[in-house]
Amino acid sequence: MIDENKQINNTSQQLGEPTEVKQAMKSDFPAQTNFNESGSEVTEQVAAQTNISGDTAVNPENSVAATEKTGVETAALAELNQQIESVKTQLEERSTQYMRIAADFENYRKRTSKEKEDLELQVKRNTILELLPIVDNFERARSHLKPQSDGEMTMHKSYQGVYKQLVDSLKRLGVSPMRPEGQEFDPNLHEAVMREPTDEHPEGTVLEELVRGYYLGDRVLRHAMVKVAAPKEDTPFAPEDQSSSASS
């Protein structure tokens, strides 16, 4: 600043300007400086007012936008909750349907398994029933044939060996014979084909097994044909007058 004043003084001296002009020029610089300072202050005030007015103008828009955003989020949340409830309902329905299908399948599996077992047992039963008459014939031959010579004994032993092999095969299949002699007659096991009056056994006692019965496991394969005891009837005596008249 001092250098400028010196320069101005030198310039004015060279040009021959009066001293009043110098002083006037000097006095103009502070005014210019003040003008710049006041201009900056005015600029700051205008900017501040602009910011204040701008903030005042934006706030209502922000509040409206925030309100709209909150409403959208609430609607979206309600929709999500509705979807969750719908999925839960579908899941419960599917679970119930799955349990019902599983129960139906288990019942079907048990039913088919039982039917398969019954079918296998029926096939086995029918097959064995076709073989039982052969066993009966072997037993009749053993009870009626009495070998006398060595040749007859050899033949007897040979067919008895076949009979034993057949009986062993039936045992492996679960076949077992009944032993009803001396037992009480049971219509579930026995078939009475003869009745014999007797005092030695109570009425209804099985006296003899005529055709052997068999079990297949715990079921009756063939009923036994038996002879059952019946009460003995007393022979009535004829009156004396009838006997005398008959003699005369």
Side-chain angles (χ1 to χ4, degrees):
M1 193 68 180
I2 296 172
D3 293 336
E4 283 182 344
N5 293 331
K6 288 180 179 181
Q7 186 176 2
I8 291 170
N9 291 330
N10 292 330
T11 305
S12 62
Q13 289 177 2
Q14 292 176 1
L15 296 174
E17 295 179 351
T19 305
E20 292 80 6
V21 176
K22 296 177 184 179
Q23 293 177 354
M25 292 177 64
K26 290 180 181 180
S27 61
D28 290 338
F29 286 103
Q32 185 177 2
T33 303
N34 293 332
F35 176 79
N36 292 332
E37 292 177 357
S38 61
S40 63
E41 291 177 358
V42 171
T43 303
E44 292 177 357
Q45 292 177 358
V46 172
Q49 292 178 357
T50 304
N51 291 332
I52 292 172
S53 62
D55 293 337
T56 304
V58 171
N59 285 334
E61 295 179 357
N62 290 337
S63 62
V64 173
T67 304
E68 293 178 354
K69 183 178 180 181
T70 303
V72 171
E73 290 178 351
T74 303
L77 183 60
E79 185 178 357
L80 289 175
N81 290 331
Q82 185 177 1
Q83 291 179 359
I84 291 172
E85 293 298 329
S86 177
V87 170
K88 286 182 179 179
T89 303
Q90 292 179 3
L91 180 60
E92 291 177 357
E93 292 177 356
R94 295 297 184 274
S95 299
T96 304
Q97 185 178 6
Y98 170 76
M99 295 297 292
R100 185 168 58 253
I101 292 174
D104 292 341
F105 178 75
E106 182 66 18
N107 293 333
Y108 169 77
R109 187 187 65 79
K110 290 180 179 179
R111 185 172 63 256
T112 53
S113 178
K114 183 67 168 56
E115 291 176 355
K116 182 180 179 181
E117 292 177 359
D118 292 341
L119 180 60
E120 291 177 353
L121 183 61
Q122 185 65 29
V123 171
K124 183 189 293 187
R125 184 175 183 277
N126 294 338
T127 303
I128 295 173
L129 285 174
E130 293 293 329
L131 297 176
L132 290 182
I134 302 174
V135 178
D136 296 338
N137 291 331
F138 273 111
E139 291 179 349
R140 292 190 187 98
R142 184 180 61 180
S143 62
H144 289 87
L145 295 179
K146 303 296 180 180
Q148 300 296 328
S149 62
D150 293 338
E152 292 177 353
M153 181 62 65
T154 302
M155 184 179 297
H156 177 76
K157 289 181 179 179
S158 63
Y159 77 76
Q160 287 300 315
V162 176
Y163 166 74
K164 185 177 183 302
Q165 184 178 2
L166 180 59
V167 171
D168 292 339
S169 299
L170 294 177
K171 287 181 180 180
R172 286 193 295 270
L173 293 174
V175 178
S176 58
M178 295 182 183
R179 304 295 181 185
E181 289 90 348
Q183 298 179 3
E184 185 179 358
F185 176 78
D186 185 355
N188 296 319
L189 304 176
H190 312 139
E191 181 179 353
V193 294
M194 291 183 64
R195 290 171 60 88
E196 181 178 336
T198 180
D199 292 335
E200 297 178 1
H201 300 280
E203 181 183 2
T205 303
V206 176
L207 299 178
E208 182 181 357
E209 184 182 35
L210 303 177
V211 178
R212 180 164 294 179
Y214 291 92
Y215 295 104
L216 179 58
D218 56 352
R219 299 184 180 183
V220 176
L221 177 62
R222 187 178 73 177
H223 291 75
M225 297 183 181
V226 297
K227 180 169 63 175
V228 183
K232 188 174 182 180
E233 297 179 356
D234 295 332
T235 305
F237 293 97
E240 294 181 358
D241 53 354
Q242 292 180 0
S243 61
S244 61
S245 62
S247 61
S248 60

